[in-house]
């Protein structure tokens, strides 16, 4: 095998596939990147058996062949080479020679035959959306997946396509995030649960451009994202996702309109006085004087603040985990938000009129008499 | 006590004094910042008993008094407050109330009487230099102090003033860094050893401006840096510093001129193949063809590279700890550097003709026959 390419192209391709390199494994081959050189193309692949990424490297084929190179070392070397042409070739005893200007590295490598190929995906059901939309919809929902492996389905996100609308849902038992996105073109109806790690990795390698498209293919066991010279294949999580319809529809008694930024800053400040281990709530009192009073009282000190709001309905005193609120507020771009509540024990819903997003947050029990 | 100040001014002052707040201590008062409010000034102080910092806060005195506030919490709160006026006042039971716009924090604090004052320093012996020069001379020498507390003097730097020249020296048993700086104005002759931690902390709070001056005062046991509204006081390390004159003067047999950047990049690349635990050297061969050949061979792989040089004297094969060389190269601003060597076992010296800097690096034993 022998190829020639620019440092910039090689580094870009390595950055993409590296997301699928296993970091904790006892199988050394999973720590490698496979270079597959065909008559007319150079393909880089990484595969940690959960997620696999393939990308085509823009370079010149001098001799066909394949080799598996330890990813971290390969990355480190390429990053430090001069910004110039790089030649890569292999010796019969599985050494890789990397040359650039006057620099020559020789590193032991592995036979490409030991590498696990990506699964073949049938391209039947698909949707298409922009990289921008995909990156945004992941950012706006990924924070409320669970990291508790005991309930595997909670560690992923529901991707459901129905009548040309993609709905993405995540939940962790304390809160629900839901985003709807109208798709263009033909869209197959599907319902799958995608691992959170896949979505996090994908987010880092898609450019997020408004005009750069991604095609997403679905099978019963896999999801495949195809964009530019790259494909990302991931296993799906098996099982039926949670029914959430009932949680989203609620007769509210109070509706509050509040400036998103002001509320975020106030809760963010209050969080200084809280340690995760405390589990102390922020207490929100909504009064008939069209003000929201926020209060925190912990071992470290106390904070009081008020924010002007507009309100329909009764007064209420309700407690929240402050991070559950700030997580939601920071992914909503609207200047003002609407909060719907029923009583101090019922879930609180933040949603827009257009139905683009619905966020549900469970309150924390407080002794309302004390406030 | 009651004061009023802008968030920006308060945050700046807190950033300065925070460098002297103790982070690992069993004495809670050392984790505090003292606010001392006099009739006409507000003074912030922190003191970890090794280093103490005082700075004057630009603000309005409403009521005199003093209080000690836990530094981290105080910093966190101020950072998150709106960019507006801040009011700070104390209650008789040692609570501090911090108000900004509609936000009000109440945090438990400590009596200012428990705080350890900074030592009084006699301002007899002094020098003056720019913040830029002081920051540079620290950066150019601090990397070769030792972090081994067994030899306390090696954890500091020699500051020696003689005939209007400041000489700063650091050494760790494997290498020596020496910088000379001509001072303007009256300069007292002194010789003291300043703790490395003090110099690191100081570096972070001086602006580094060419026109901003620092006055440095010396006593037998303390050093004091005075600039703008701030003073930094530190204990000195006791004992007589190492005699290094003999190490700096050597009959060299080889003198090499090489491009600093090219040599740095090459050694930096080679370091990829080395782990700290390996203790493998980079092998440098200087040949009569006016080339320097660099070679590394480890478990991870091998690298070869050559650089064009000009040379006076014999050929040589010599081994180095690569980091000892890159540490030096990156603090020299000259485009080309001069390296002086005698044989594979004698220290190697990098210095300029003007005598602004001298760096000494001990070589690593290699089996020269193998190269």
């Amino acid at each position: 095998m022998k190829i020639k390419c620019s440092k910039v192209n090689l580094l870009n391709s390595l950055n993409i596939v590296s997301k699928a390199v296993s970091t904790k494994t006892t199988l050394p081959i999973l720590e490698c990147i496979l270079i597959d050189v065909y008559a007319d193309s150079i393909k880089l692949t990484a595969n940690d058996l959960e997620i696999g990424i393939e990308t085509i490297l823009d370079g010149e084929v001098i001799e066909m062949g394949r080799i598996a190179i330890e990813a971290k070392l390969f990355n480190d070397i390429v990053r430090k080479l001069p910004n110039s042409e790089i030649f890569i070739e292999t010796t019969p005893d599985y050494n890789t020679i990397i040359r650039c200007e006057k620099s020559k590295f020789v590193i032991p490598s592995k036979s490409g035959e030991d590498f696990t190929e990506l699964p073949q995906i049938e391209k039947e059901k698909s949707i298409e959306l922009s990289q921008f939309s995909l990156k945004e919809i992941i950012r706006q929902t990924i924070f409320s997946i669970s990291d508790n492996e005991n309930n595997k389905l909670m560690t992923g996100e529901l991707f459901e396509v129905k009548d040309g609308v993609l709905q993405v849902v995540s939940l962790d038992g304390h809160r629900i995030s839901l985003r709807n996105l109208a798709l263009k073109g033909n869209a197959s109806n599907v319902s799958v649960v995608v691992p959170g790690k896949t979505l996090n990795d994908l987010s880092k390698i898609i450019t997020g451009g408004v005009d750069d498209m991604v095609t997403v293919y679905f099978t019963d066991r896999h999801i495949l994202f195809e964009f530019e010279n790259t494909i990302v294949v991931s296993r799906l999580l098996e099982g039926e996702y949670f029914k959430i319809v009932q949680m989203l529809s609620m007769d509210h008694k109070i509706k509050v309109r509040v400036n998103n930024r002001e509320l975020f800053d106030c809760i963010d400040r209050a969080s200084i006085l809280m340690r995760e281990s405390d589990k102390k709530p922020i207490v929100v009192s909504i009064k008939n004087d069209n003000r929201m009073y926020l209060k925190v009282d912990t071992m470290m000190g106390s904070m009081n603040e008020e924010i002007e709001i507009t309100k329909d309905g009764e007064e209420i005193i309700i407690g929240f985990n402050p991070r559950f609120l700030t997580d939601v507020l920071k992914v909503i771009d609207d200047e003002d938000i609407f909060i719907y509540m029923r009583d101090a024990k019922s879930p609180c819903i933040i949603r827009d009129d257009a139905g683009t997003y619905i966020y549900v947050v469970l309150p924390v029990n407080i002794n309302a008499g004390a406030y």
Side-chain angles (χ1 to χ4, degrees), chain A:
Chain A
M1 182 218 98
K2 189 168 179 184
I3 60 168
K4 178 175 120 178
C5 62
S6 75
K7 172 186 168 171
V8 175
N9 286 343
L10 180 54
L11 203 53
N12 280 344
S13 298
L14 286 178
N15 280 340
I16 291 172
V17 293
S18 293
K19 298 292 179 299
V21 172
S22 193
T23 46
K24 9 178 195 181
T25 175
T26 50
L27 285 175
I29 192 77
L30 299 185
E31 293 171 339
C32 290
I33 288 170
L34 177 71
I35 308 185
D36 240 324
V37 183
Y38 302 97
D40 57 352
S41 74
I42 307 164
K43 195 173 74 179
L44 267 54
T45 309
N47 184 4
D48 71 4
L49 305 183
E50 289 292 326
I51 177 174
I53 304 179
E54 260 179 32
T55 195
I56 301 297
L57 167 65
D58 188 6
E60 193 182 305
V61 175
I62 300 170
E63 198 186 294
M64 293 195 286
R66 60 200 325 229
I67 192 89
I69 308 179
E70 205 265 293
K72 187 178 173 309
L73 182 58
F74 193 19
N75 255 306
D76 286 347
I77 290 173
V78 174
R79 201 173 309 122
K80 298 257 179 175
L81 286 175
N83 201 348
S84 184
E85 298 240 286
I86 296 179
F87 292 82
I88 302 176
E89 66 183 300
T90 50
T91 65
D93 55 345
Y94 302 117
N95 278 314
T96 301
I97 304 170
I98 305 169
R99 273 180 228 270
C100 184
E101 291 186 355
K102 288 177 181 160
S103 191
K104 177 186 166 193
F105 279 87
V106 182
I107 53 176
S109 309
K110 289 187 196 338
S111 163
E113 306 313 317
D114 300 340
F115 202 87
T116 310
E117 298 281 341
L118 301 198
Q120 288 301 312
I121 302 298
E122 218 172 289
K123 293 186 175 178
E124 259 183 18
K125 297 184 183 172
S126 72
I127 60 170
E128 198 189 35
L129 70 169
S130 73
Q131 296 196 19
F132 173 80
S133 297
L134 181 57
K135 197 166 179 150
E136 277 292 283
I137 212 164
I138 295 172
R139 180 180 73 90
Q140 290 161 341
T141 52
I142 196 79
F143 59 87
S144 62
I145 61 171
S146 168
D147 53 8
N148 185 342
E149 293 285 329
N150 289 337
N151 196 329
K152 203 74 184 162
L153 279 175
M154 280 194 188
T155 66
E157 297 203 340
L158 177 71
F159 272 59
E160 187 162 57
V161 182
K162 211 189 275 176
D163 307 329
V165 174
L166 168 66
Q167 183 168 95
V168 176
V169 179
S170 69
L171 59 83
D172 66 1
H174 303 283
R175 51 204 176 138
I176 305 172
S177 302
L178 180 153
R179 284 267 169 178
N180 286 313
L181 178 74
L183 300 169
K184 287 170 194 152
N186 286 327
S188 320
N189 284 357
V190 293
S191 176
V192 300
V193 184
V194 189
K197 185 186 170 303
T198 298
L199 297 172
N200 269 323
D201 289 341
L202 184 70
S203 260
K204 287 177 197 145
I205 58 179
I206 55 182
T207 61
V210 180
D211 297 322
D212 303 331
M213 301 307 286
V214 188
T215 310
V216 188
Y217 296 94
F218 304 89
T219 71
D220 288 347
R221 300 193 52 197
H222 291 96
I223 190 167
L224 184 154
F225 302 87
E226 189 174 84
F227 50 98
E228 286 135 34
N229 295 323
T230 303
I231 63 167
V232 176
V233 185
S234 166
R235 285 202 203 193
L236 295 171
L237 295 177
E238 285 173 47
E240 201 180 343
Y241 201 69
F242 313 92
K243 299 276 171 260
I244 56 163
V245 182
Q246 214 176 351
M247 296 286 283
L248 303 179
S249 58
M250 171 187 81
D251 288 341
H252 67 271
K253 289 188 177 159
I254 304 126
K255 176 182 176 182
V256 169
R257 178 189 183 130
V258 58
N259 180 278
N260 187 353
R261 183 79 220 183
E262 271 185 59
L263 182 57
F264 177 88
D265 284 347
C266 173
I267 303 173
D268 188 38
R269 270 193 285 281
S271 311
I272 301 168
L273 299 177
M274 296 163 163
R275 295 214 182 80
E276 276 291 318
S277 53
D278 272 359
K279 309 224 168 167
K280 279 271 189 177
I282 182 162
V283 178
V284 179
S285 309
I286 290 159
K287 300 282 185 193
N288 284 336
D289 61 0
N290 274 336
R291 290 217 174 85
M292 179 188 274
Y293 295 85
L294 297 107
K295 189 178 161 70
V296 155
D297 207 336
T298 73
M299 294 276 289
M300 298 172 78
S302 69
M303 192 206 78
N304 285 280
E305 193 162 338
E306 58 191 72
I307 301 175
E308 294 191 13
I309 57 169
T310 55
K311 168 176 90 73
D312 289 337
E314 309 167 3
E315 296 194 327
I316 190 174
I317 299 177
I318 186 168
F320 290 105
N321 176 330
R323 193 167 58 77
F324 287 1
L325 289 179
T326 50
D327 278 352
V328 170
L329 298 178
K330 74 179 162 203
V331 299
I332 297 179
D333 295 328
D334 299 339
E335 202 171 317
D336 284 0
I337 58 159
F338 295 92
I339 309 178
Y340 298 84
M341 286 166 285
R342 187 181 167 80
D343 53 48
K345 295 195 171 161
S346 301
C348 147
I349 294 182
I350 299 172
R351 63 173 161 80
D352 64 345
D353 288 338
T356 318
Y357 59 80
I358 306 179
Y359 292 96
V360 180
V361 177
L362 282 184
V364 177
N365 264 338
I366 52 167
N367 177 3
Y371 295 95

